Amino acid sequence: MTELLTSTQMRAIEQTEIESGAVTGLQLMERAGRGAVDAVIAKWPELSRGGHRALILCGPGNNGGDGFVIARRLTDLGWSVDVFLYGDVAKLPPDAKANHDLWLSMGAVSPFDATAVCGCKRPDLFVDAVFGTGLTRPLPKDLAMGLEVGIMGNWNRGHVIRRLAIDCPSGLNLDTGNVPHSDDGTMPRVNSAHLTVSFHSLKVGHRLGLGPTLCGDVQVVDIGLNGLDAAERAMIGTAPDPERARLIDPSFGDHPLPPRIWPGAMIAKLRGQGHKYDYGHAMILAGGPGRGGAARMAARAALRSGAGLVTVLCPPEAVQENACHLDAVMLRDCADASAFRQIVDDRVTALCLGPGLGVGTGTRDLVFAALTHRRKERGWRDPVVVLDADALTSFQDDPDALFAQTHPRTVITPHEGEFARLFPDLAQSERANRSKIDVARIAADRAGCIVLLKGEDTVIAQPDGGASVHTATGERAVPWLATAGAGDVLAGLIAGLSAPETAPDLFCVTEAAVWLHCEAARAFGPGLIAEDLPEMLPQVFLTLDG
């Protein structure tokens, strides 16, 4: 599944299945524990043979119950297992208590003590089954020390200890991807895993913030939740579900999608023939002399991604400079907002403002002119307006003035710094237990448009609650994408993909743009600079005809 569930959503799905009589909590726990062991053997086949040792830390909730099942299963496979319980046996939930008692018929449970944990024989597998989906507070200090002992202690000297986390490494808030800070301001201890097993679906924190770093390889285990509410609701390329965020990934229902379906269907020129005006006219506004590079890169991306025509509008004094760099991209001088209104006609289908445009009243006036432009008689829908960089920062003193004009055909693409200027109450320092998805949704409602909050974990949200996440981590890690101008290329890519008359839903196009932007970077590899990105798009498009 590509849905990213919150802990509340996951509990509701499980509870619905249990109340329907389709499954019991004990059955789900058994499947979870056995599935976790299967995931371990699949990742480390050398552990399939007997004679290995595991150390399992069980928590006071159902996560601990999973740990007891794992202990039984590993013992059945011939392992030696040490089990510690953090919490009071009498307070275990019924299903966890039942599995605790089952394990007692096979082995012992010791009360948690960091010193005792460190004194165990060296394990081949360390299992963190303490806290899972529901933790929103810092780890208790004694437990944090114990987990640190288990990971960083003397065992590691010449001995490989594989680390497995159930749901997530204890201490990670799985609804945000953050590690909660202590009230006294001390830095929290960080616990990590080589392998994290999630049940039924990925959770929000697996793909946001520190989640990808701390969780390591995340494997989703099917525990047999088959009810209507357990099904994936909205396939990539269709309107998003207003409640459940989704991962931007070419798959649906655990099956890969053919590239021609996604993202191919989001790229108008891959779907048929047409006149250049059928594929739209994108206009990119540029700054003064010496500041045109960002707009030129955006324009090149717009043209490469399928816009039929692309024009750069720049101040008269910058025309000569831009003319020396542009060929297929057209060029016109545009002195101010008044000139802009004279130039932009009914055939303009996409506008991109911000890259290199400059911060000030002139930019504000141009943004207002772009947002109030309508297609009139020759167009069936209003042009898309993509606002980035200076087009956003120019409103840092009066964000409401911008939000009074933005509309559903607008996409704003801030990074965290620009986001904080427009939404200071939603800045990283103010989020508390709100996730990046939460604040992007609030921002989209406030602005009345699509918000693309950039980062390694890019979040896209629209006013009705629909949201998606793209993570450039793991196999899709592209650290070389952190380079000046990459965001300008993304703004142009959105403008180009949304310019055609037959372009799909704007939210879906924006998702595809983010994915293609990453794919272009991956195709180039190390040494990438922003100018390389548009030139890699044809190579990426060639892979989408299957």
Side-chain angles (χ1 to χ4, degrees):
M1 292 180 68
T2 58
E3 288 183 335
L4 301 175
L5 301 179
T6 65
S7 56
T8 298
Q9 289 169 338
M10 185 64 203
R11 282 194 296 270
I13 291 171
E14 290 178 328
Q15 193 59 35
T16 298
E17 293 273 305
I18 292 170
E19 290 176 354
S20 73
V23 70
T24 67
L26 273 174
Q27 288 174 322
L28 291 177
M29 195 170 286
E30 186 72 21
R31 294 170 188 173
R34 288 178 172 270
V37 173
D38 290 344
V40 167
I41 301 303
K43 183 172 179 63
W44 297 297
E46 66 274 18
L47 297 182
S48 62
R49 297 177 293 276
H52 297 287
R53 176 171 290 275
L55 191 153
I56 303 175
L57 300 188
C58 295
N62 284 329
N63 204 251
D66 297 339
F68 296 126
V69 176
I70 292 170
R72 284 194 287 108
R73 179 58 179 153
L74 289 177
T75 300
D76 289 341
L77 294 175
W79 287 50
S80 299
V81 181
D82 293 308
V83 178
F84 289 82
L85 173 63
Y86 184 86
D88 185 345
V89 173
K91 295 181 180 179
L92 285 171
D95 294 335
K97 179 63 166 59
N99 274 301
H100 167 274
D101 294 346
L102 282 172
W103 165 246
L104 284 181
S105 67
M106 302 176 69
V109 177
S110 302
F112 174 81
D113 177 79
T115 302
V117 169
C118 189
C120 289
K121 292 183 179 180
R122 293 177 297 181
D124 300 293
L125 179 68
F126 181 92
V127 181
D128 173 2
V130 186
F131 292 114
T133 59
L135 188 71
T136 59
R137 63 185 187 279
L139 278 181
K141 290 184 179 180
D142 61 338
L143 176 59
M145 290 178 63
L147 288 167
E148 186 175 9
V149 167
I151 294 172
M152 302 300 293
N154 292 331
W155 294 336
N156 283 329
R157 295 176 183 174
H159 184 84
V160 176
I161 301 173
R162 302 156 184 87
R163 304 192 298 272
L164 167 68
I166 305 304
D167 287 324
C168 67
S170 292
L172 178 70
N173 183 332
L174 205 48
D175 281 339
T176 66
N178 298 327
V179 176
H181 285 254
S182 302
D183 293 336
D184 60 8
T186 58
M187 289 296 292
R189 296 176 184 267
V190 177
N191 175 33
S192 63
H194 295 119
L195 171 65
T196 294
V197 174
S198 180
F199 304 114
H200 178 66
S201 176
L202 290 170
K203 311 307 184 298
V204 167
H206 290 136
R207 290 293 181 261
L208 292 183
L210 293 172
T213 299
L214 299 183
C215 291
D217 178 17
V218 181
Q219 295 295 319
V220 177
V221 169
D222 181 5
I223 55 174
L225 295 171
N226 299 313
L228 183 62
D229 199 42
E232 196 165 358
R233 292 181 176 179
M235 187 176 78
I236 190 79
T238 65
D241 183 80
E243 296 176 349
R244 296 182 185 176
R246 69 186 178 199
L247 191 65
I248 300 176
D249 184 74
S251 62
F252 182 73
D254 299 323
H255 299 289
L257 293 173
R260 61 181 174 79
I261 298 297
W262 198 92
M266 303 296 104
I267 306 165
K269 278 190 175 176
L270 295 183
R271 293 187 281 114
Q273 298 178 340
H275 187 271
K276 61 186 177 184
Y277 279 107
D278 293 331
Y279 295 110
H281 185 181
M283 284 190 168
I284 318 295
L285 278 73
R291 297 186 309 197
R296 292 194 295 270
M297 288 189 293
R300 190 121 180 124
L303 195 60
R304 285 286 192 195
S305 60
L309 306 90
V310 178
T311 299
V312 167
L313 303 182
C314 68
E317 61 271 22
V319 168
Q320 184 174 357
E321 173 191 324
N322 283 299
C324 292
H325 294 276
L326 300 175
D327 294 309
V329 174
M330 299 181 291
L331 178 65
R332 289 193 65 173
D333 65 282
C334 178
D336 51 30
S338 178
F340 173 88
R341 292 186 180 93
Q342 297 298 315
I343 293 169
V344 179
D345 60 22
D346 290 351
R347 292 182 294 185
V348 173
T349 55
L351 296 160
C352 177
L353 298 86
L357 195 54
V359 175
T361 57
T363 294
R364 287 167 58 99
D365 291 343
L366 285 167
V367 170
F368 285 140
L371 289 171
T372 55
H373 178 70
R374 298 293 181 264
R375 288 292 302 279
K376 302 177 184 177
E377 66 273 3
R378 283 198 291 185
W380 68 277
R381 59 184 177 183
D382 292 330
V384 168
V385 180
V386 182
L387 302 178
D388 185 36
D390 294 345
L392 303 177
T393 302
S394 291
F395 289 89
Q396 61 185 339
D397 295 329
D398 190 8
D400 289 341
L402 174 63
F403 304 152
Q405 298 297 329
T406 46
H407 51 72
R409 298 280 290 164
T410 307
V411 183
I412 64 174
T413 61
H415 54 57
E416 287 283 6
E418 293 158 345
F419 186 82
R421 295 176 197 131
L422 294 179
F423 308 97
D425 58 315
L426 304 178
Q428 286 178 299
S429 60
E430 305 297 322
R431 287 177 192 170
N433 283 328
R434 292 181 297 194
S435 73
K436 194 172 182 179
I437 295 172
D438 294 333
V439 298
R441 281 171 162 156
I442 295 169
D445 283 335
R446 191 178 300 175
C449 68
I450 294 171
V451 173
L452 189 160
L453 181 50
K454 293 183 287 195
E456 275 193 338
D457 52 351
T458 292
V459 175
I460 307 170
Q462 65 181 17
D464 70 355
S468 59
V469 177
H470 178 272
T471 53
T473 57
E475 294 181 355
R476 293 184 61 75
V478 279
W480 42 90
L481 195 52
T483 183
D488 305 318
V489 173
L490 177 59
L493 185 53
I494 297 169
L497 289 173
S498 61
E501 296 283 0
T502 58
D505 174 79
L506 182 56
F507 184 92
C508 298
V509 167
T510 304
E511 289 179 310
V514 171
W515 189 86
L516 291 166
H517 187 247
C518 182
E519 283 297 292
R522 294 179 69 221
F524 188 94
L528 172 86
I529 58 176
E531 289 97 318
D532 301 320
L533 287 166
E535 311 318 309
M536 297 308 298
L537 288 172
Q539 181 175 320
V540 173
F541 291 159
L542 284 174
T543 68
L544 306 181
D545 59 359

